[in-house]
Amino acid sequence: MALPKPGGAHSLALVTVPSMGYAPVPPPTSLQPLLPQQPVFVVQETDGSVTLDNGIIRVKLDPTGRLTSLVLVASGREAIAEGAVGNQFVLFDDVPLYWDAWDVMDYHLETRKPVLGQAGTLAVGTEGGLRGSAWFLLQISPNSRLSQEVVLDVGCPYVRFHTEVHWHEAHKFLKVEFPARVRSSQATYEIQFGHLQRPTHYNTSWDWARFEVWAHRWMDLSEHGFGLALLNDCKYGASVRGSILSLSLLRAPKAPDFTADMGRHEFTYALMPHKGSFQDAGVIQAAYSLNFPLLALPAPSPAPATSWSAFSLSSPAVVLETVKQAESSPQRRSLVLRLYEAHGSHVDCWLHLSLPVQEAILCDLLERPDPAGHLPSGQPPEAHLFSLPSAVPVARASAPTTLSPWGWGFVCGRLWGLLISVSPA
């Protein structure tokens, strides 16, 4: 993670932080140079191309910043389609029939124009160790330009593309494409509290109508044993056609607001090749890490000497999505925890708390307590364990219960609410 320094600079530190908690960062004088993982190596070739390698993935960029190779080092598997390049920006004409800001018509796909960069613009940024990076500039049009830093961190399973765009267009649509060396008739997209699958072909009119679909933090294209996930921190338009993953970045509508989306934009997307399914590879956790990076905050005096976690889960299939204060909270001491099963499976899970819990009950999304949902206490507050609810809202402290997903035509994890009251300190 990056630690702020006076004058706007920053230093890098490798820190292990538990879930929903904190960990002290050693002072710079005590930081050890030895790394538990392979450091990041950065090499720039004589032709201007750059290779980034952290021992997990190896990334090669051509002299214009396009991705020519992405290898999962452990298996040697190449993720980019043969003879193709990833991180290819493409520009489309975007002229809807009626509603500029709302409609996207399928015929815009016929106007695809790759944005070509100029060789020699790629330069090394951070030279390796805890982080390696390369950056380049790209002129999208006479009026719009883009700068991007391609970042690979030590121990990280994905490569990040931190992008800044100065956008001044009219009726244009900017996307980025990644042709994958993966074959599958279905792609998976994250939705709220779950995920769903959509076809990668246009066999029927229904399939054609989904030329662009919505996704939240990630989408994944996987075949047996291998897959490629595209993560992002703020974009919602996506598509997978054949083996090409595409992320919609910017539009330029002129009605009802003539200045809509004009100006400076900053966003990040990431590419993660993985072995096995997206569930087993930790794509969901990686997408959360991209969207919620660690925060470096000044420590109170005296600074804590050890790490601490408020909440942790025993299964990676369950996500603690929300921690919030209850709407009707006596003396502001009640919290609501919202959890969901993210893999589309049945799972046994324990939720561990380090807070002094006085009472824990099940509740719905309106935070109304379930009369049958009181969870027994009696465990020591610092190791308070209880089981998550099953389809029948009854829980026992003696053993975990089973979480069951629900859905119709798609996979969606079931959502639970838990209302806890915290004892005063």
Side-chain angles (χ1 to χ4, degrees), residues 180 185 261 399 411:
S185 61
D261 294 340
V411 178

Side-chain angles (χ1 to χ4, degrees), residues 310-332:
F311 310 99
S312 62
L313 296 163
S314 65
S315 171
V318 179
V319 176
L320 176 54
E321 168 64 30
T322 303
V323 178
K324 66 180 289 288
Q325 183 175 306
E327 296 300 317
S328 56
S329 174
Q331 300 180 6
R332 303 170 64 95

